[in-house]
Amino acid sequence: MDEQITQFDRRLTAVEKDAAMLMAEAKHAQQRHATKEDAAELREEIVASELRLTTQIAATDSKLSAQIATLDSKLSAQIAALECKILSMESRYLRWTIGTVIAVAGVVLAMVRTFP
């Protein structure tokens, strides 16, 4: 009977050692793996980041819209100035052309009268 108790004691000691080792491994694994609380904190951080990003995107969008509107008005003003300049040059060239035609007609008329 003593021998059975001794064998039982040895087997029980081995089981206790294995159980202690499994407990240590489980504790070590728990430290490496995420818990529900970790996942909840991460979810809260993600939601907060999304909110910050949404706010930043909205601010950037409004700034860009304002800049685009400013550039559009500047471009419209420059286009209008360029159109005025083109109209001015067109009328100037028209005057020079009419003046040149009249001058050439006068020269031709004078040559016809001078050399019959």
Side-chain angles (χ1 to χ4, degrees):
M1 185 84 161
D2 280 339
E3 187 160 321
Q4 285 179 341
I5 292 176
T6 307
Q7 284 179 351
F8 184 69
D9 190 34
R10 269 190 247 140
R11 283 192 290 178
L12 189 57
T13 305
V15 169
E16 286 175 346
K17 284 181 186 177
D18 288 343
M21 215 160 44
L22 286 174
M23 289 294 286
E25 286 177 9
K27 204 177 238 187
H28 182 68
Q30 271 185 334
Q31 292 172 351
R32 290 185 306 174
H33 298 291
T35 61
K36 287 182 181 179
E37 292 82 20
D38 294 336
E41 288 176 11
L42 185 59
R43 190 172 292 121
E44 288 174 7
E45 288 178 19
I46 289 171
V47 168
S49 294
E50 282 181 352
L51 182 61
R52 280 194 310 271
L53 284 174
T54 304
T55 305
Q56 289 174 350
I57 288 171
T60 303
D61 186 39
S62 65
K63 286 180 185 177
L64 284 175
S65 296
Q67 288 178 350
I68 288 171
T70 303
L71 289 175
D72 188 39
S73 65
K74 284 182 181 179
L75 185 60
S76 296
Q78 287 178 349
I79 288 172
L82 186 60
E83 286 175 348
C84 287
K85 208 178 230 186
I86 288 171
L87 288 174
S88 167
M89 290 177 70
E90 183 181 349
S91 65
R92 195 170 89 197
Y93 285 131
L94 184 62
R95 283 184 293 196
W96 272 99
T97 303
I98 291 172
T100 304
V101 167
I102 291 173
V104 168
V107 169
V108 169
L109 186 62
M111 288 175 73
V112 168
R113 282 196 176 174
T114 307
F115 304 109

